[in-house]
Amino acid sequence: SMGIQKTMRFSDYLADCGGQFALNSMSGLISAIMYFYTDKAGVAAATAANVLLAAKICDAFTDLIMGRIMDNGKSPKGKCRPWFLRMAVPAFVATVAVFTVPKGLTGFAQIAYLFLTNIFLTGIVSTAIAIPYGAIMVMRTKSLQERNTMGIFRAAAGYVIGMIIAIALVPITNLLGPNGVADQASYIKFAAVVGFISMILLLILYKTSKET
């Protein structure tokens, strides 16, 4: 009705919302990381809180840096799309790494591991997905109706994975743990499954997305 050619199909909407699944799975797991650090990995509460605060502050600056890097991109695949491919495997690695806290680490070594893995997940991988993912919506189609539909699909996917992690994280990790009690290994297994799904969905997003 507005004289704008539509370009999206139902399969395109489904593939596009996979990026939101990956992003919300990362943020959902991070929301539970404080409990994991203190109760399952044996990290002091003050140490965990300070590390997460420092990582969040650094994340604010990496958002600005990533935006500039994306704007200066010269890939023939576009400015946004290549980042879904580049971050697919790192998304899996980073999701698992935050839960793979080596036993026996103390003092500065422990703080360094927690800080670097959190920065890697939230400040690098998640940022390198979120910035291009937000921008590609206006590059895929000129139709406001299609952009609105993309937003609806993204919101639904984000809600689903958010609810899965919020509701199912504890019972599933307990199920995976010895004698029905979650341990570090059960959290790693859960993170590995979520990270693998995120990696596959990012590869699908790269394959199907276009910057028209």
Side-chain angles (χ1 to χ4, degrees):
S1 62
M2 298 175 66
I4 297 175
Q5 178 66 45
K6 294 183 178 180
T7 61
M8 303 285 290
R9 297 172 296 180
F10 182 73
S11 59
D12 293 323
Y13 294 122
L14 288 179
D16 177 77
C17 71
Q20 195 67 56
F21 181 98
L23 289 171
N24 281 45
S25 66
M26 295 178 196
S27 61
L29 290 174
I30 285 296
S31 67
I33 202 71
M34 185 70 178
Y35 169 77
F36 167 79
Y37 281 157
T38 55
D39 284 51
K40 305 302 177 183
V43 179
T47 299
N50 289 329
V51 166
L52 293 176
L53 175 61
K56 183 62 66 176
I57 293 173
C58 292
D59 183 33
F61 291 96
T62 59
D63 287 347
L64 300 174
I65 296 172
M66 183 59 209
R68 191 168 187 84
I69 292 174
M70 189 190 73
D71 284 339
N72 293 330
K74 300 184 184 301
S75 171
K77 299 294 185 180
K79 292 181 179 292
C80 303
R81 184 185 174 204
W83 291 100
F84 307 140
L85 175 63
R86 294 167 184 166
M87 291 296 112
V89 174
F92 170 75
V93 174
T95 302
V96 175
V98 292
F99 293 96
T100 316
V101 182
K103 296 185 182 299
L105 274 186
T106 58
F108 179 78
Q110 185 185 71
I111 294 174
Y113 183 87
L114 299 181
F115 179 74
L116 291 176
T117 51
N118 272 276
I119 282 294
F120 183 45
L121 178 64
T122 62
I124 298 177
V125 176
S126 180
T127 296
I129 297 171
I131 302 300
Y133 187 61
I136 200 171
M137 178 183 289
V138 298
M139 297 183 179
R140 290 200 67 173
T141 175
K142 295 181 179 180
S143 170
L144 293 179
Q145 182 179 353
E146 288 186 325
R147 292 177 187 176
N148 290 335
T149 305
M150 290 173 69
I152 293 172
F153 272 78
R154 290 183 178 192
Y159 178 81
V160 168
I161 184 57
M163 287 297 98
I164 289 175
I165 292 179
I167 297 173
L169 177 62
V170 173
I172 290 179
T173 51
N174 284 337
L175 183 64
L176 294 173
N179 301 318
V181 179
D183 59 1
Q184 183 176 4
S186 60
Y187 273 83
I188 293 174
K189 293 174 185 176
F190 184 88
V193 172
V194 173
F196 181 78
I197 295 174
S198 297
M199 178 180 68
I200 297 301
L201 291 176
L202 287 171
L203 292 174
I204 294 174
L205 176 60
Y206 167 76
K207 180 70 175 179
T208 59
S209 60
K210 300 176 183 178
E211 297 183 28
T212 56

